[in-house]
């Protein structure tokens, strides 16, 4: 049989299944099952993938929520662009805006407290990468991603954009602070 000529017998699909073929189908099927059950297993026990929620939003609605948090909980400003550093109450909802080419505002969280971290983009796709943690989250315009996070180490972290987003992509860097409970 070739791919160009038609098969010699028209009804070729009624031939009995070869033992080798059957064995390979069984192996492939078992491997599919292994991979299928590894996904939920690794989500729970791998401590690598965050449980997330996602909601539809608009840049206007999302930035209004971030602005409300900034108006209430700004403790100081940093860099020559006067980016507000926000210290929201422990356990609250915190908002971070991604846009060409900056993160806004700078979050200051308390160690050992659980926050709901909201992420959305004002324009194109970005990625929230927290260094030196192994955390990489896509930030998509029109969607508000919500991640339940509990910082376990105090210190100054770097926030990078990990999705190439244009000429200023490499300047899309910021900080995130984790402080001990006051
Ligand atoms: Cu970006």
């Amino acid at each position: 049989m070739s791919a160009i000529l038609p098969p010699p017998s028209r009804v070729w699909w009624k031939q009995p299944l070869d033992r080798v073929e059957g064995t390979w189908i069984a192996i492939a099927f078992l491997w599919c099952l292994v991979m299928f059950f590894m996904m939920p297993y690794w989500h729970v026990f791998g401590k690598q993938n965050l449980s997330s929620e996602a909601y539809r939003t608009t840049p206007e609605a999302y930035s209004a929520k971030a602005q409300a948090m900034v108006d209430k909980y700004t403790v100081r400003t940093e860099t020559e662009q006067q980016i507000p550093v926000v210290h929201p109450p422990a356990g609250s909802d915190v908002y971070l805006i991604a846009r060409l080419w900056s993160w806004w505002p700078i979050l200051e969280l308390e160690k050992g407290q659980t926050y709901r971290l909201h992420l959305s983009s004002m324009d194109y796709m970005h990625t929230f990468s927290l260094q030196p943690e192994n955390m990489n989250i896509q930030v998509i315009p029109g969607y508000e991603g919500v991640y339940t996070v509990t910082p376990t180490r105090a210190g100054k972290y770097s926030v990078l954009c990990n999705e190439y987003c244009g000429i200023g992509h490499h300047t899309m860097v910021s900080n995130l602070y984790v402080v001990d409970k006051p």
Side-chain angles (χ1 to χ4, degrees):
M1 200 196 291
S2 83
I4 299 168
L5 301 170
S9 66
R10 294 281 297 161
V11 185
W12 52 267
W13 57 86
K14 284 193 177 160
Q15 285 173 31
L17 187 67
D18 191 80
R19 217 164 52 85
V20 175
E21 196 177 2
T23 307
W24 278 112
I25 289 171
I27 291 170
F29 179 70
L30 288 174
W31 186 241
C32 284
L33 287 180
V34 169
M35 291 196 292
F36 179 80
F37 287 108
M38 271 307 282
M39 286 192 284
Y41 172 82
W42 198 246
H43 181 82
V44 175
F45 298 104
K47 293 197 169 161
Q48 199 172 18
N49 303 311
L50 294 159
S51 295
S52 65
E53 302 155 48
Y55 304 94
R56 274 192 187 280
T57 188
T58 61
E60 295 75 32
Y62 185 77
S63 57
K65 287 199 268 187
Q67 186 67 54
M69 175 193 72
V70 167
D71 290 344
K72 251 178 156 172
Y73 303 117
T74 297
V75 287
R76 61 182 185 277
T77 59
E78 277 187 8
T79 75
E80 63 270 28
Q81 290 105 307
Q82 306 284 306
I83 298 174
V85 179
V86 180
H87 188 126
S92 66
D93 287 74
V94 298
Y95 299 85
L96 190 59
I97 289 177
R99 62 154 64 96
L100 299 175
W101 287 284
S102 63
W103 300 95
W104 190 92
I106 296 170
L107 298 172
E108 187 178 270
L109 308 178
E110 288 172 22
K111 182 183 150 186
Q113 299 289 335
T114 300
Y115 296 86
R116 279 165 59 80
L117 171 65
H118 296 241
L119 292 169
S120 189
S121 166
M122 297 294 105
D123 36 50
Y124 301 101
M125 199 148 89
H126 302 284
T127 293
F128 173 87
S129 170
L130 190 68
Q131 302 290 335
E133 296 299 316
N134 180 14
M135 192 188 264
N136 209 45
I137 303 170
Q138 288 217 303
V139 186
I140 300 163
Y143 288 92
E144 181 170 346
V146 188
Y147 303 87
T148 304
V149 294
T150 310
T152 51
R153 257 185 325 111
K156 183 180 180 180
Y157 293 81
S158 296
V159 177
L160 310 179
C161 179
N162 230 355
E163 182 81 48
Y164 182 70
C165 57
I167 196 82
H169 168 66
H170 62 288
T171 65
M172 198 168 161
V173 292
S174 182
N175 289 319
L176 186 148
Y177 295 100
V178 175
V179 296
D180 287 309
K181 246 185 269 180

